[in-house]
Structure formats: C-alpha cells, structure tokens
Amino acid sequence: MKINILTLFPGMFSGFTSESIIKRAINSGSLEINIVDIRDYTFDKHNTADDTPFGGGAGMVLKAEPILKALEGIDGKVIYTSPQGVRLNQKLSNELSVEKEITIIAGHYEGIDERVIDEKVDLEISIGDFVLTGGELPAMVIADSIARLLPGVIKQDSYEQDSFYNGLLDHPHYTRPAKIGDLEVPEILLSGHHKNIELWRKKESLKRTYLRRPDLLENREFTKEEKKMLDEIKKEV
Ligand SMILES: C[S@@+](CC[C@H](N)C(=O)[O-])C[C@H]1O[C@@H](n2cnc3c(N)ncnc32)[C@H](O)[C@@H]1O
C-alpha cells in the first residue's frame, strides 16, 4: 500500500519511517510512505505556503494552490486530518487498510483553505476531541494504525486479538520472570493448557471491556460462551 502524506514539515516524519515495525514494513515492500513537501509546490520566490485569513483574525491558513498542485496525478482517497472530522477507530483503519493508495493532508496553523476540502478531500479524520498544532502527528497515527494491518507486517493473530479488533479490549499480558518479589503471574498462564489459557484470556478480555468500556458491549452479539462468562463476571465484580 502507498500512503502519500502532504506536509509543510517533512522532517517530522524521519523518525516515524526509520524505526521499528514501520521501517520493516517499508523495507519489506508492504508499505510505501511518500512524504510530499507542500513547499515544493509553491510558485513564488519566497515559497509561500500560507497566508493570512480573509476576513481577518488570528493565525495563518495553508494556501490552496500548492496543495492542489501537489495532489495532481495522485490516486486514491484523499484524507484531511482535522479535529472536525469523523473520529478514527479500528473499523475505519481496517477499511482504509485495503486501499491501494491513500493521501493524507496534514494541516497546520488555522488549517487549510476550505476550497481544497470542498474540491479534493474524500474524508476528514480526527484523532480525538482536542486540538494539536498540526496534522503531522494525526497523519502518523492514521498511517501507523493502517500499516500494522497490512499483510506480512505483523502476525494476523497478533492484531486480531488486540483491543477493538473483535469489539473487545485485549486481555492482560505477562512475560518472564514468573515471579518478581511477591508479584506473580496468574498460574493458568504457566500451565501449558492451551484451551484453558484461551478461555481465561477471553474472560479477562470480556471483564476489562465490561469494567472499562461497557459501551463496546452495547450492540455486541454475544456467543453462548461469552454470555455465560459475562454472567460470572457480573457476579464476581
Ligand atoms: C491548530 S489546528 C487547526 C484547528 C482548526 N482551526 C479548528 O479549530 O478546527 C492545525 C491542524 O492540526 C491538525 N489537527 C489538530 N487537531 C487535530 C485532531 N484532533 N485530529 C486531526 N487533526 C488535527 C489539522 O490538520 C489542523 O488543520
């Protein structure tokens, strides 16, 4: 998959693309990240990419023409990072992960000229109800949440058991050593009994979701096993 990211601050992405799982995904060819410097598409001698807002007021606005020019010849969905957009969630990341190519525009200052949104943007995505200085971090968040779902990037059974993928929060995780002072790992995890471990994990997952994010359970179609576990959980807590 190819993800184009339009930004005024390309340097912010150097760590993102050169470390850990994203770096591996790029090196293996599963992911291409194309950082596009909006300033390369400016046309005046000062390379002006932003200007004061019509009507007056604080802040600067990213000019339309450089962004429109940068978008020329680019294929696929165009996303604008915006606190006013739909909230990013796992379902949306899953949907985007099957696209061949997407483009994410990172706004800055007061945002981008609305005419770019009217003409070219398919979807505005927010990463939460707060305002950041720019869309670079949201662009990384969106790209990262998609990248880990691409074939060969991480194991499928690893992301499928992660929070939200199947509508529940993940179960707790432990690693060696089994004992740290009087802190012990739940015994079941040392038993080697895979079926029981799976049941324990499922129940912990349900329990966490029930206690921390009951909203996720509201429209869930429970299996018989889950219903039984949930009844037990309600008695236990
Ligand atoms: C300071 S913000 C502009 C906020 C805009 N004036 C508003 O109130 O809706 C600058 C840029 O950061 C990005 N941004 C800020 N908060 C965001 C969020 N919660 N989700 C996605 N993008 C965000 C957007 O690209 C935005 O254009």
Side-chain angles (χ1 to χ4, degrees):
M1 177 180 190
K2 181 173 181 183
I3 304 181
N4 306 297
I5 300 176
L6 272 57
T7 173
L8 259 191
F9 300 95
M12 287 180 73
F13 293 87
S14 54
F16 176 60
T17 53
S18 63
E19 299 282 347
S20 186
I21 294 170
I22 300 299
K23 176 185 173 183
R24 277 209 321 266
I26 293 170
N27 288 345
S28 73
S30 301
L31 174 67
E32 180 183 348
I33 294 200
N34 175 32
I35 306 295
V36 179
D37 188 345
I38 294 170
R39 215 173 283 283
D40 289 345
Y41 294 85
T42 54
F43 37 81
D44 65 319
K45 66 174 185 214
H46 301 294
N47 296 114
T48 314
D50 58 313
D51 207 338
T52 52
F54 277 128
M60 299 297 274
V61 178
L62 294 200
K63 289 166 74 64
E65 297 110 305
I67 300 176
L68 292 172
K69 193 97 194 117
L71 287 171
E72 273 175 19
I74 278 182
D75 292 324
K77 281 201 168 74
V78 176
I79 292 162
Y80 173 48
T81 56
S82 166
Q84 303 176 26
V86 295
R87 189 90 60 83
L88 183 67
N89 60 20
Q90 190 62 49
K91 184 169 173 283
L92 183 50
S93 299
N94 293 353
E95 283 165 16
L96 292 172
S97 72
V98 299
E99 299 285 334
K100 260 176 78 177
E101 178 167 353
I102 62 165
T103 296
I104 306 173
I105 306 172
H108 226 87
Y109 313 123
E110 282 309 314
I112 64 174
D113 189 307
E114 192 72 18
R115 289 168 291 187
V116 176
I117 302 173
D118 294 341
E119 280 303 302
K120 292 288 176 191
V121 169
D122 299 299
L123 184 62
E124 293 180 60
I125 297 182
S126 164
I127 61 160
D129 288 350
F130 43 80
V131 175
L132 299 164
T133 56
E136 284 72 18
L137 290 171
M140 287 185 237
V141 169
I142 296 165
D144 189 290
S145 73
I146 293 170
R148 63 196 302 280
L149 303 171
L150 300 177
V153 174
I154 60 172
K155 288 194 181 116
Q156 189 172 349
D157 55 356
S158 169
Y159 67 70
E160 281 184 0
Q161 61 142 49
D162 280 330
S163 298
F164 308 113
Y165 194 90
N166 62 7
L168 299 175
L169 299 182
D170 196 5
H171 56 76
H173 298 267
Y174 301 87
T175 187
R176 277 181 276 272
K179 208 167 165 2
I180 305 172
D182 55 1
L183 300 176
E184 291 184 18
V185 166
E187 231 179 283
I188 181 88
L189 297 178
L190 309 175
S191 69
H193 195 302
H194 297 301
K195 180 77 194 149
N196 285 351
I197 292 173
E198 204 183 297
L199 286 170
W200 180 86
R201 286 180 166 163
K202 185 63 185 271
K203 190 167 170 185
E204 287 299 311
S205 196
L206 263 173
K207 189 183 196 172
R208 291 203 153 185
T209 313
Y210 174 69
L211 293 174
R212 298 181 186 193
R213 291 292 304 275
D215 56 300
L216 294 177
L217 299 178
E218 270 161 26
N219 297 315
R220 187 177 178 83
E221 292 194 9
F222 294 99
T223 62
K224 255 177 138 174
E225 186 183 66
E226 287 175 346
K227 265 192 201 134
K228 191 167 155 259
M229 282 179 179
L230 198 57
D231 287 342
E232 287 168 13
I233 290 164
K234 285 178 182 167
K235 280 183 204 142
E236 285 165 18
V237 297

